Coordinates of all heavy atoms in Angstrom, one line a residue:
M361 N 22.2 25.1 -25.5 CA 21.8 24.2 -26.5 C 22.0 24.8 -27.9 O 21.8 26.0 -28.0 CB 20.3 23.8 -26.3 CG 20.1 22.8 -25.2 SD 18.5 21.9 -25.2 CE 17.4 23.2 -24.7
S362 N 22.3 24.1 -28.8 CA 22.6 24.6 -30.1 C 21.3 24.9 -30.9 O 20.2 24.4 -30.6 CB 23.5 23.6 -30.9 OG 22.7 22.5 -31.2
T363 N 21.4 25.6 -32.0 CA 20.3 26.0 -32.8 C 19.7 24.7 -33.5 O 18.5 24.6 -33.6 CB 20.7 27.0 -33.9 OG1 21.4 28.1 -33.2 CG2 19.5 27.5 -34.7
G364 N 20.6 23.8 -33.9 CA 20.1 22.6 -34.5 C 19.3 21.7 -33.6 O 18.3 21.1 -34.0
L365 N 19.7 21.7 -32.3 CA 18.9 20.9 -31.4 C 17.5 21.5 -31.2 O 16.5 20.8 -31.1 CB 19.6 20.9 -30.0 CG 19.0 20.0 -28.9 CD1 18.8 18.6 -29.4 CD2 19.8 20.1 -27.7
W366 N 17.4 22.9 -31.1 CA 16.1 23.5 -31.0 C 15.2 23.3 -32.2 O 14.0 23.1 -32.0 CB 16.3 25.0 -30.8 CG 16.6 25.4 -29.3 CD1 17.8 25.8 -28.8 CD2 15.7 25.3 -28.2 NE1 17.6 26.0 -27.5 CE2 16.4 25.7 -27.1 CE3 14.4 24.9 -28.1 CZ2 15.8 25.7 -25.8 CZ3 13.8 24.9 -26.9 CH2 14.5 25.3 -25.8
F367 N 15.8 23.2 -33.3 CA 15.1 22.9 -34.5 C 14.4 21.5 -34.4 O 13.2 21.4 -34.6 CB 16.0 22.9 -35.8 CG 15.3 22.3 -37.0 CD1 14.3 23.0 -37.7 CD2 15.6 21.0 -37.4 CE1 13.7 22.4 -38.8 CE2 14.9 20.4 -38.5 CZ 14.0 21.1 -39.2
W368 N 15.1 20.5 -33.9 CA 14.6 19.1 -33.8 C 13.5 19.1 -32.6 O 12.5 18.4 -32.7 CB 15.7 18.1 -33.5 CG 16.5 17.9 -34.7 CD1 17.8 18.3 -34.9 CD2 16.0 17.3 -36.0 NE1 18.2 18.0 -36.2 CE2 17.1 17.4 -36.9 CE3 14.9 16.8 -36.4 CZ2 17.1 16.9 -38.2 CZ3 14.8 16.2 -37.7 CH2 15.9 16.3 -38.6
I369 N 13.7 19.9 -31.6 CA 12.7 19.9 -30.5 C 11.4 20.5 -31.0 O 10.3 20.0 -30.7 CB 13.3 20.7 -29.3 CG1 14.4 19.9 -28.6 CG2 12.2 21.0 -28.3 CD1 15.2 20.7 -27.5
L370 N 11.5 21.6 -31.7 CA 10.3 22.3 -32.2 C 9.7 21.4 -33.3 O 8.4 21.4 -33.4 CB 10.7 23.7 -32.8 CG 11.1 24.7 -31.8 CD1 11.6 26.0 -32.4 CD2 10.0 25.0 -30.8
L371 N 10.4 20.7 -34.1 CA 9.8 19.8 -35.1 C 9.1 18.7 -34.4 O 8.0 18.4 -34.8 CB 10.9 19.2 -36.0 CG 10.4 18.3 -37.1 CD1 9.6 19.1 -38.1 CD2 11.6 17.6 -37.8
A372 N 9.7 18.1 -33.3 CA 9.0 17.1 -32.6 C 7.7 17.6 -32.0 O 6.7 16.9 -32.0 CB 9.9 16.5 -31.5
C373 N 7.7 18.8 -31.5 CA 6.5 19.4 -30.9 C 5.4 19.6 -32.0 O 4.2 19.3 -31.7 CB 6.8 20.8 -30.3 SG 7.8 20.7 -28.8
A374 N 5.8 20.1 -33.1 CA 4.9 20.2 -34.2 C 4.3 18.9 -34.7 O 3.1 18.8 -34.9 CB 5.6 20.9 -35.4
V375 N 5.1 17.9 -34.8 CA 4.6 16.6 -35.2 C 3.6 16.0 -34.1 O 2.6 15.5 -34.5 CB 5.8 15.6 -35.4 CG1 5.3 14.1 -35.5 CG2 6.6 16.0 -36.6
A376 N 3.9 16.2 -32.8 CA 3.0 15.7 -31.8 C 1.7 16.5 -31.9 O 0.6 15.9 -31.8 CB 3.7 16.0 -30.4
F377 N 1.7 17.8 -32.1 CA 0.5 18.6 -32.2 C -0.3 18.2 -33.4 O -1.5 18.0 -33.3 CB 0.8 20.1 -32.3 CG -0.4 20.9 -32.5 CD1 -1.2 21.2 -31.5 CD2 -0.7 21.4 -33.8 CE1 -2.4 22.0 -31.7 CE2 -1.8 22.2 -34.0 CZ -2.6 22.5 -32.9
L378 N 0.3 18.0 -34.5 CA -0.4 17.6 -35.7 C -1.0 16.2 -35.6 O -2.0 15.9 -36.1 CB 0.5 17.7 -37.0 CG 0.9 19.1 -37.3 CD1 2.0 19.1 -38.5 CD2 -0.3 19.9 -37.8
T379 N -0.3 15.3 -34.9 CA -0.8 13.9 -34.7 C -2.1 14.0 -33.8 O -3.1 13.3 -34.1 CB 0.2 13.1 -34.0 OG1 1.4 13.0 -34.8 CG2 -0.3 11.7 -33.7
K380 N -2.1 14.8 -32.8 CA -3.3 15.0 -31.9 C -4.4 15.6 -32.8 O -5.5 15.2 -32.6 CB -2.9 15.9 -30.7 CG -2.2 15.2 -29.6 CD -2.0 16.1 -28.5 CE -1.9 15.4 -27.2 NZ -3.0 14.9 -26.6
L381 N -4.1 16.6 -33.6 CA -5.1 17.3 -34.4 C -5.7 16.3 -35.4 O -6.9 16.3 -35.6 CB -4.4 18.4 -35.2 CG -5.4 19.2 -36.1 CD1 -6.5 19.9 -35.2 CD2 -4.6 20.3 -36.9
A382 N -4.8 15.4 -36.0 CA -5.4 14.4 -36.9 C -6.3 13.5 -36.2 O -7.3 13.0 -36.8 CB -4.2 13.6 -37.5
G383 N -6.1 13.2 -34.9 CA -7.0 12.3 -34.2 C -8.4 12.9 -34.0 O -9.4 12.2 -34.0
H384 N -8.4 14.3 -33.8 CA -9.7 14.9 -33.7 C -10.4 15.0 -35.0 O -11.6 15.2 -35.0 CB -9.5 16.4 -33.1 CG -9.1 16.4 -31.7 ND1 -10.0 16.0 -30.7 CD2 -7.9 16.6 -31.1 CE1 -9.4 16.1 -29.5 NE2 -8.1 16.5 -29.7
L385 N -9.7 14.9 -36.1 CA -10.4 15.0 -37.4 C -10.9 13.7 -38.0 O -11.6 13.6 -39.0 CB -9.4 15.6 -38.4 CG -8.9 17.0 -38.1 CD1 -7.8 17.5 -39.1 CD2 -10.0 18.0 -38.1
V386 N -10.7 12.6 -37.2 CA -11.2 11.3 -37.7 C -12.7 11.3 -37.5 O -13.2 11.6 -36.4 CB -10.5 10.1 -36.8 CG1 -11.2 8.8 -37.2 CG2 -9.0 10.1 -37.1
P387 N -13.5 10.8 -38.5 CA -14.9 10.8 -38.3 C -15.4 9.9 -37.2 O -14.8 8.8 -37.0 CB -15.4 10.3 -39.7 CG -14.3 10.5 -40.6 CD -13.0 10.5 -39.8
A388 N -16.4 10.3 -36.5 CA -16.9 9.5 -35.4 C -17.4 8.1 -35.8 O -17.2 7.2 -35.0 CB -18.1 10.2 -34.7
R389 N -17.9 8.0 -37.0 CA -18.4 6.6 -37.4 C -17.2 5.6 -37.5 O -17.5 4.4 -37.3 CB -19.1 6.7 -38.8 CG -18.3 7.2 -39.9 CD -19.1 7.2 -41.3 NE -18.3 7.9 -42.3 CZ -17.3 7.3 -43.0 NH1 -17.0 6.0 -42.7 NH2 -16.7 7.9 -43.9
L390 N -16.0 6.1 -37.8 CA -14.9 5.2 -37.8 C -14.5 4.7 -36.4 O -14.1 3.6 -36.2 CB -13.7 5.8 -38.5 CG -13.8 6.0 -40.0 CD1 -12.6 6.7 -40.6 CD2 -14.0 4.7 -40.7
L391 N -14.6 5.7 -35.5 CA -14.2 5.4 -34.1 C -15.2 4.4 -33.4 O -14.9 3.7 -32.5 CB -14.1 6.7 -33.3 CG -13.0 7.6 -33.8 CD1 -13.0 8.9 -33.0 CD2 -11.6 6.9 -33.7
E392 N -16.5 4.4 -33.9 CA -17.5 3.6 -33.3 C -17.6 2.2 -33.9 O -18.3 1.4 -33.4 CB -18.9 4.3 -33.5 CG -19.0 5.6 -32.7 CD -20.2 6.4 -33.0 OE1 -20.9 6.0 -34.0 OE2 -20.4 7.5 -32.4
D393 N -16.8 1.9 -34.9 CA -16.7 0.6 -35.5 C -16.2 -0.4 -34.5 O -15.2 -0.1 -33.8 CB -15.9 0.7 -36.8 CG -15.9 -0.6 -37.5 OD1 -16.8 -1.4 -37.3 OD2 -14.9 -0.8 -38.3
E394 N -16.8 -1.6 -34.5 CA -16.3 -2.6 -33.5 C -14.9 -3.1 -33.8 O -14.1 -3.3 -32.8 CB -17.3 -3.8 -33.6 CG -17.0 -4.9 -32.5 CD -17.9 -6.0 -32.6 OE1 -19.1 -5.8 -33.0 OE2 -17.5 -7.1 -32.3
R395 N -14.5 -3.2 -35.0 CA -13.2 -3.6 -35.4 C -12.1 -2.6 -34.8 O -11.1 -3.0 -34.3 CB -13.0 -3.8 -36.9 CG -13.6 -5.0 -37.4 CD -13.3 -5.2 -38.9 NE -13.9 -4.0 -39.6 CZ -13.5 -3.7 -40.8 NH1 -12.7 -4.4 -41.5 NH2 -14.1 -2.7 -41.4
M396 N -12.4 -1.3 -35.0 CA -11.5 -0.3 -34.5 C -11.4 -0.4 -33.0 O -10.3 -0.2 -32.5 CB -12.0 1.1 -34.9 CG -11.1 2.2 -34.6 SD -9.5 2.1 -35.3 CE -9.9 2.5 -37.0
T397 N -12.4 -0.6 -32.3 CA -12.4 -0.8 -30.8 C -11.5 -1.9 -30.4 O -10.7 -1.8 -29.5 CB -13.8 -1.0 -30.3 OG1 -14.6 0.1 -30.7 CG2 -13.8 -1.0 -28.8
R398 N -11.6 -3.1 -31.2 CA -10.8 -4.2 -30.9 C -9.3 -4.0 -31.2 O -8.4 -4.3 -30.4 CB -11.3 -5.5 -31.6 CG -12.5 -6.1 -31.1 CD -12.8 -7.4 -31.8 NE -12.8 -7.1 -33.2 CZ -13.5 -7.7 -34.1 NH1 -14.4 -8.6 -33.7 NH2 -13.5 -7.3 -35.4
V399 N -9.0 -3.3 -32.3 CA -7.7 -3.0 -32.7 C -7.0 -2.0 -31.7 O -5.9 -2.2 -31.2 CB -7.6 -2.4 -34.1 CG1 -6.3 -1.8 -34.4 CG2 -8.0 -3.5 -35.1
A400 N -7.8 -1.0 -31.3 CA -7.2 -0.1 -30.3 C -7.0 -0.7 -29.0 O -5.9 -0.5 -28.3 CB -8.2 1.1 -30.1
G401 N -7.8 -1.6 -28.6 CA -7.6 -2.4 -27.3 C -6.4 -3.3 -27.4 O -5.6 -3.3 -26.5
A402 N -6.2 -4.0 -28.5 CA -5.1 -4.9 -28.7 C -3.8 -4.1 -28.8 O -2.8 -4.5 -28.2 CB -5.2 -5.7 -30.0
L403 N -3.8 -2.9 -29.4 CA -2.6 -2.1 -29.5 C -2.2 -1.6 -28.1 O -1.0 -1.6 -27.8 CB -2.8 -0.9 -30.5 CG -2.7 -1.3 -31.9 CD1 -3.1 0.0 -32.8 CD2 -1.3 -1.7 -32.3
T404 N -3.2 -1.2 -27.4 CA -2.9 -0.7 -26.0 C -2.3 -1.8 -25.1 O -1.3 -1.5 -24.5 CB -4.2 -0.2 -25.3 OG1 -4.8 0.8 -26.2 CG2 -3.9 0.4 -24.0
I405 N -2.8 -3.0 -25.2 CA -2.3 -4.1 -24.4 C -0.8 -4.4 -24.9 O 0.1 -4.6 -24.0 CB -3.2 -5.3 -24.5 CG1 -4.5 -5.0 -23.8 CG2 -2.5 -6.5 -23.9 CD1 -5.6 -6.0 -24.1
G406 N -0.6 -4.5 -26.2 CA 0.7 -4.8 -26.7 C 1.7 -3.7 -26.3 O 2.9 -4.1 -26.0
L407 N 1.4 -2.4 -26.4 CA 2.3 -1.4 -26.1 C 2.6 -1.4 -24.6 O 3.8 -1.3 -24.2 CB 1.7 0.0 -26.4 CG 1.7 0.3 -27.9 CD1 1.0 1.6 -28.2 CD2 3.2 0.4 -28.4
L408 N 1.6 -1.6 -23.7 CA 1.9 -1.7 -22.3 C 2.8 -2.9 -22.0 O 3.7 -2.8 -21.2 CB 0.6 -1.8 -21.5 CG 0.7 -1.8 -20.0 CD1 1.4 -0.6 -19.5 CD2 -0.7 -1.9 -19.4
A409 N 2.5 -4.0 -22.6 CA 3.3 -5.2 -22.3 C 4.8 -5.0 -22.7 O 5.7 -5.4 -22.0 CB 2.7 -6.4 -23.0
S410 N 5.0 -4.4 -23.9 CA 6.4 -4.1 -24.3 C 7.1 -3.1 -23.4 O 8.3 -3.3 -23.1 CB 6.4 -3.6 -25.8 OG 5.8 -2.4 -25.9
L411 N 6.4 -2.1 -22.9 CA 7.0 -1.2 -22.0 C 7.4 -1.9 -20.7 O 8.5 -1.6 -20.1 CB 6.0 0.0 -21.7 CG 5.9 1.0 -22.8 CD1 4.8 2.0 -22.4 CD2 7.2 1.8 -22.9
V412 N 6.5 -2.7 -20.2 CA 6.8 -3.5 -18.9 C 8.0 -4.4 -19.1 O 8.9 -4.4 -18.3 CB 5.6 -4.3 -18.5 CG1 5.9 -5.3 -17.4 CG2 4.5 -3.3 -18.0
A413 N 8.0 -5.1 -20.3 CA 9.2 -6.0 -20.5 C 10.5 -5.2 -20.6 O 11.5 -5.6 -20.1 CB 8.9 -6.8 -21.8
M414 N 10.5 -4.1 -21.4 CA 11.7 -3.3 -21.5 C 12.2 -2.7 -20.2 O 13.4 -2.7 -19.9 CB 11.5 -2.2 -22.6 CG 11.4 -2.7 -24.0 SD 12.9 -3.7 -24.5 CE 14.1 -2.4 -24.3
N415 N 11.2 -2.2 -19.4 CA 11.6 -1.6 -18.1 C 12.0 -2.6 -17.1 O 12.7 -2.3 -16.1 CB 10.5 -0.7 -17.6 CG 10.4 0.6 -18.4 OD1 11.4 1.1 -18.8 ND2 9.2 1.1 -18.6
T416 N 11.6 -3.9 -17.3 CA 11.9 -4.9 -16.3 C 13.3 -5.4 -16.5 O 14.0 -5.7 -15.5 CB 10.9 -6.1 -16.4 OG1 9.6 -5.6 -16.2 CG2 11.2 -7.2 -15.4
V417 N 13.8 -5.6 -17.7 CA 15.0 -6.3 -18.0 C 16.1 -5.4 -18.6 O 17.1 -5.9 -19.0 CB 14.9 -7.6 -18.8 CG1 14.0 -8.6 -18.1 CG2 14.3 -7.2 -20.2
S418 N 15.9 -4.1 -18.6 CA 16.9 -3.3 -19.2 C 17.3 -2.1 -18.3 O 16.5 -1.6 -17.5 CB 16.4 -2.7 -20.6 OG 15.4 -1.8 -20.4
S419 N 18.5 -1.7 -18.5 CA 19.1 -0.5 -17.8 C 20.0 0.2 -18.8 O 21.1 -0.3 -19.0 CB 19.8 -0.9 -16.5 OG 20.3 0.2 -15.9
G420 N 19.5 1.2 -19.4 CA 20.2 1.8 -20.5 C 20.3 0.9 -21.7 O 19.3 0.5 -22.2
Q421 N 21.5 0.6 -22.1 CA 21.8 -0.3 -23.2 C 22.0 -1.8 -22.8 O 22.2 -2.7 -23.6 CB 23.0 0.2 -24.0 CG 22.9 1.5 -24.6 CD 22.2 1.5 -25.9 OE1 22.3 0.5 -26.6 NE2 21.6 2.6 -26.3
D422 N 22.0 -2.1 -21.5 CA 22.3 -3.4 -20.9 C 21.1 -4.1 -20.5 O 20.1 -3.6 -20.1 CB 23.2 -3.3 -19.7 CG 24.5 -2.5 -20.1 OD1 25.0 -2.7 -21.2 OD2 25.0 -1.8 -19.2
V423 N 21.2 -5.5 -20.6 CA 20.1 -6.4 -20.1 C 20.5 -6.7 -18.6 O 21.6 -7.1 -18.4 CB 20.0 -7.6 -20.9 CG1 19.0 -8.6 -20.3 CG2 19.6 -7.3 -22.3
V424 N 19.6 -6.4 -17.7 CA 19.9 -6.6 -16.3 C 18.8 -7.5 -15.6 O 17.7 -7.2 -15.8 CB 19.9 -5.2 -15.6 CG1 20.2 -5.4 -14.1 CG2 20.9 -4.3 -16.2
L425 N 19.3 -8.5 -14.9 CA 18.4 -9.4 -14.2 C 18.5 -9.0 -12.7 O 19.5 -9.4 -12.1 CB 18.6 -10.8 -14.5 CG 18.5 -11.2 -16.0 CD1 18.9 -12.7 -16.2 CD2 17.2 -11.0 -16.5
D426 N 17.6 -8.4 -12.1 CA 17.7 -8.0 -10.7 C 16.3 -8.1 -10.1 O 15.5 -8.9 -10.5 CB 18.2 -6.5 -10.6 CG 17.4 -5.5 -11.3 OD1 16.3 -5.8 -11.8 OD2 17.8 -4.3 -11.4
A427 N 16.1 -7.3 -9.0 CA 14.8 -7.5 -8.2 C 13.6 -7.2 -9.0 O 12.5 -7.6 -8.6 CB 14.9 -6.6 -7.0
R428 N 13.7 -6.5 -10.1 CA 12.5 -6.1 -10.9 C 11.8 -7.4 -11.5 O 10.6 -7.4 -11.6 CB 12.9 -5.2 -12.0 CG 13.3 -3.8 -11.5 CD 13.7 -2.9 -12.6 NE 15.0 -3.3 -13.1 CZ 15.7 -2.7 -14.0 NH1 15.2 -1.6 -14.6 NH2 16.9 -3.1 -14.4
I429 N 12.6 -8.4 -11.8 CA 12.1 -9.7 -12.3 C 11.2 -10.3 -11.2 O 10.1 -10.7 -11.5 CB 13.2 -10.6 -12.7 CG1 14.0 -10.1 -13.9 CG2 12.6 -12.0 -13.1 CD1 13.3 -10.2 -15.2
G430 N 11.7 -10.4 -10.0 CA 11.0 -10.9 -8.9 C 9.7 -10.1 -8.6 O 8.6 -10.7 -8.3
A431 N 9.8 -8.8 -8.7 CA 8.6 -8.0 -8.5 C 7.6 -8.2 -9.5 O 6.4 -8.3 -9.2 CB 9.0 -6.5 -8.5
L432 N 8.0 -8.4 -10.8 CA 7.0 -8.7 -11.8 C 6.4 -10.0 -11.7 O 5.2 -10.2 -11.8 CB 7.8 -8.6 -13.2 CG 6.9 -8.8 -14.4 CD1 5.9 -7.7 -14.5 CD2 7.7 -8.8 -15.7
V433 N 7.1 -11.0 -11.2 CA 6.6 -12.4 -11.0 C 5.6 -12.3 -9.8 O 4.5 -12.9 -9.9 CB 7.7 -13.4 -10.7 CG1 7.1 -14.7 -10.2 CG2 8.5 -13.6 -12.0
A434 N 5.9 -11.6 -8.8 CA 5.0 -11.5 -7.6 C 3.7 -10.7 -8.0 O 2.6 -11.2 -7.6 CB 5.7 -10.7 -6.5
A435 N 3.8 -9.7 -8.8 CA 2.7 -8.9 -9.3 C 1.8 -9.8 -10.2 O 0.6 -9.8 -10.1 CB 3.1 -7.7 -10.0
A436 N 2.4 -10.6 -11.0 CA 1.7 -11.5 -11.9 C 0.9 -12.5 -11.1 O -0.2 -12.9 -11.5 CB 2.7 -12.2 -12.9
I437 N 1.5 -13.1 -10.1 CA 0.8 -14.0 -9.2 C -0.4 -13.4 -8.5 O -1.5 -13.9 -8.5 CB 1.8 -14.7 -8.2 CG1 2.8 -15.6 -8.9 CG2 1.0 -15.4 -7.1 CD1 3.9 -16.0 -8.1
A438 N -0.2 -12.1 -8.1 CA -1.3 -11.4 -7.4 C -2.4 -11.2 -8.5 O -3.6 -11.3 -8.1 CB -0.8 -10.1 -6.9
L439 N -2.0 -10.9 -9.7 CA -3.0 -10.7 -10.8 C -3.8 -12.0 -11.0 O -5.0 -12.0 -11.2 CB -2.4 -10.2 -12.1 CG -2.2 -8.7 -12.2 CD1 -1.4 -8.4 -13.5 CD2 -3.5 -8.0 -12.2
L440 N -3.1 -13.1 -11.1 CA -3.7 -14.4 -11.3 C -4.7 -14.8 -10.1 O -5.7 -15.5 -10.4 CB -2.7 -15.5 -11.4 CG -1.9 -15.5 -12.7 CD1 -0.8 -16.5 -12.7 CD2 -2.8 -15.7 -13.9
L441 N -4.4 -14.3 -8.9 CA -5.3 -14.5 -7.8 C -6.4 -13.5 -7.7 O -7.2 -13.4 -6.8 CB -4.5 -14.5 -6.5 CG -3.4 -15.6 -6.4 CD1 -2.6 -15.4 -5.1 CD2 -4.1 -17.0 -6.3
R442 N -6.5 -12.6 -8.8 CA -7.5 -11.6 -8.9 C -7.5 -10.6 -7.8 O -8.6 -10.2 -7.3 CB -8.9 -12.3 -9.1 CG -9.0 -13.2 -10.3 CD -10.4 -13.5 -10.6 NE -10.6 -14.4 -11.7 CZ -10.5 -14.1 -13.0 NH1 -10.2 -12.8 -13.3 NH2 -10.7 -15.0 -13.9
A443 N -6.3 -10.2 -7.4 CA -6.2 -9.1 -6.4 C -6.5 -7.8 -7.0 O -6.3 -7.6 -8.2 CB -4.8 -9.1 -5.8
P444 N -7.0 -6.9 -6.2 CA -7.3 -5.5 -6.7 C -6.0 -4.9 -7.2 O -4.9 -5.2 -6.7 CB -7.9 -4.7 -5.5 CG -8.3 -5.8 -4.6 CD -7.5 -7.0 -4.8
F445 N -6.1 -3.9 -8.1 CA -4.9 -3.3 -8.7 C -3.9 -2.7 -7.6 O -2.7 -2.9 -7.7 CB -5.3 -2.2 -9.7 CG -4.2 -1.5 -10.3 CD1 -3.4 -2.1 -11.3 CD2 -3.8 -0.2 -9.9 CE1 -2.3 -1.5 -11.9 CE2 -2.7 0.5 -10.5 CZ -2.0 -0.2 -11.5
L446 N -4.5 -2.0 -6.6 CA -3.6 -1.4 -5.6 C -2.8 -2.5 -4.9 O -1.6 -2.4 -4.6 CB -4.4 -0.6 -4.6 CG -3.6 0.1 -3.6 CD1 -2.6 1.1 -4.2 CD2 -4.6 0.9 -2.7
V447 N -3.5 -3.6 -4.6 CA -2.8 -4.8 -3.9 C -1.7 -5.3 -4.9 O -0.6 -5.7 -4.4 CB -3.8 -5.8 -3.6 CG1 -3.1 -7.1 -3.0 CG2 -4.8 -5.3 -2.5
V448 N -2.0 -5.4 -6.1 CA -1.0 -5.9 -7.1 C 0.3 -5.0 -7.1 O 1.4 -5.5 -7.0 CB -1.6 -6.0 -8.5 CG1 -0.5 -6.3 -9.5 CG2 -2.6 -7.0 -8.6
V449 N 0.1 -3.7 -7.1 CA 1.2 -2.8 -7.0 C 2.0 -2.9 -5.7 O 3.2 -2.9 -5.7 CB 0.7 -1.3 -7.2 CG1 1.8 -0.3 -7.0 CG2 0.1 -1.1 -8.6
L450 N 1.2 -3.0 -4.6 CA 1.9 -3.1 -3.3 C 2.7 -4.5 -3.2 O 3.8 -4.5 -2.7 CB 0.9 -3.0 -2.2 CG 0.3 -1.6 -2.0 CD1 -0.8 -1.6 -1.0 CD2 1.3 -0.6 -1.7
V451 N 2.1 -5.5 -3.8 CA 2.8 -6.8 -3.7 C 4.1 -6.7 -4.6 O 5.2 -7.2 -4.1 CB 1.9 -8.0 -4.3 CG1 2.7 -9.2 -4.6 CG2 0.8 -8.3 -3.2
G452 N 4.0 -6.1 -5.7 CA 5.2 -6.0 -6.6 C 6.3 -5.1 -5.9 O 7.5 -5.4 -5.9
A453 N 5.9 -4.0 -5.3 CA 6.8 -3.1 -4.6 C 7.4 -3.8 -3.4 O 8.6 -3.7 -3.2 CB 6.1 -1.8 -4.2
G454 N 6.6 -4.5 -2.7 CA 7.1 -5.2 -1.5 C 8.1 -6.3 -1.9 O 9.1 -6.5 -1.2
A455 N 7.8 -7.0 -3.0 CA 8.7 -8.1 -3.4 C 10.0 -7.5 -3.9 O 11.1 -8.0 -3.5 CB 8.1 -8.9 -4.6
A456 N 10.0 -6.4 -4.6 CA 11.2 -5.7 -5.0 C 12.0 -5.2 -3.8 O 13.3 -5.4 -3.8 CB 10.9 -4.5 -5.9
A457 N 11.3 -4.7 -2.8 CA 12.0 -4.2 -1.6 C 12.7 -5.4 -0.9 O 13.9 -5.3 -0.4 CB 11.1 -3.5 -0.7
L458 N 12.0 -6.5 -0.7 CA 12.5 -7.6 0.0 C 13.7 -8.2 -0.8 O 14.7 -8.6 -0.2 CB 11.5 -8.7 0.2 CG 10.4 -8.3 1.3 CD1 9.3 -9.4 1.3 CD2 11.1 -8.2 2.6
L459 N 13.6 -8.3 -2.1 CA 14.7 -8.9 -2.9 C 15.9 -7.9 -2.8 O 17.0 -8.4 -2.7 CB 14.3 -9.1 -4.3 CG 13.3 -10.3 -4.5 CD1 12.7 -10.2 -5.9 CD2 14.0 -11.6 -4.2
R460 N 15.7 -6.6 -2.8 CA 16.8 -5.7 -2.7 C 17.4 -5.8 -1.3 O 18.7 -5.6 -1.2 CB 16.4 -4.3 -3.1 CG 16.2 -4.2 -4.6 CD 15.9 -2.8 -5.0 NE 15.8 -2.7 -6.5 CZ 14.8 -2.2 -7.1 NH1 13.9 -1.5 -6.5 NH2 14.8 -2.2 -8.4
L461 N 16.6 -6.0 -0.3 CA 17.1 -6.1 1.1 C 18.0 -7.3 1.2 O 19.0 -7.2 2.0 CB 15.9 -6.1 2.0 CG 16.2 -6.1 3.5 CD1 16.9 -4.8 3.9 CD2 15.0 -6.4 4.3
T462 N 17.7 -8.4 0.5 CA 18.5 -9.6 0.6 C 19.7 -9.5 -0.3 O 20.4 -10.5 -0.4 CB 17.6 -10.8 0.3 OG1 17.1 -10.7 -1.1 CG2 16.5 -11.0 1.2
G463 N 19.8 -8.5 -1.1 CA 21.0 -8.3 -1.9 C 20.9 -8.8 -3.3 O 21.8 -9.0 -4.0
M464 N 19.7 -9.1 -3.8 CA 19.5 -9.6 -5.1 C 19.2 -8.5 -6.1 O 18.6 -8.7 -7.2 CB 18.3 -10.6 -5.1 CG 18.6 -11.8 -4.3 SD 17.3 -13.1 -4.4 CE 17.5 -13.6 -6.1
G465 N 19.5 -7.3 -5.9 CA 19.3 -6.3 -6.9 C 19.5 -4.9 -6.3 O 19.2 -3.9 -6.7

């Protein structure tokens, strides 16, 4: 690896460390505020939803519609039926396996 690449890796490490350090320096009274709790919860849900969406329909730079869509739909149905988390994961994995077995992905 080149020297320039190591510079960017070390810079990214320093930024990550300073970001974590800044989180520890936030006063506790700000973290206990009800609005902050709601905002943090909403951000977490939004980030997780965007990660799921991106990993479901993308492969590198391409948009791909394959067995992952079916797995996501099956898992969503299990969630709507209020299945436990482990069951939701197993339903999604099983749906993906069956769809791939039938040649749909």
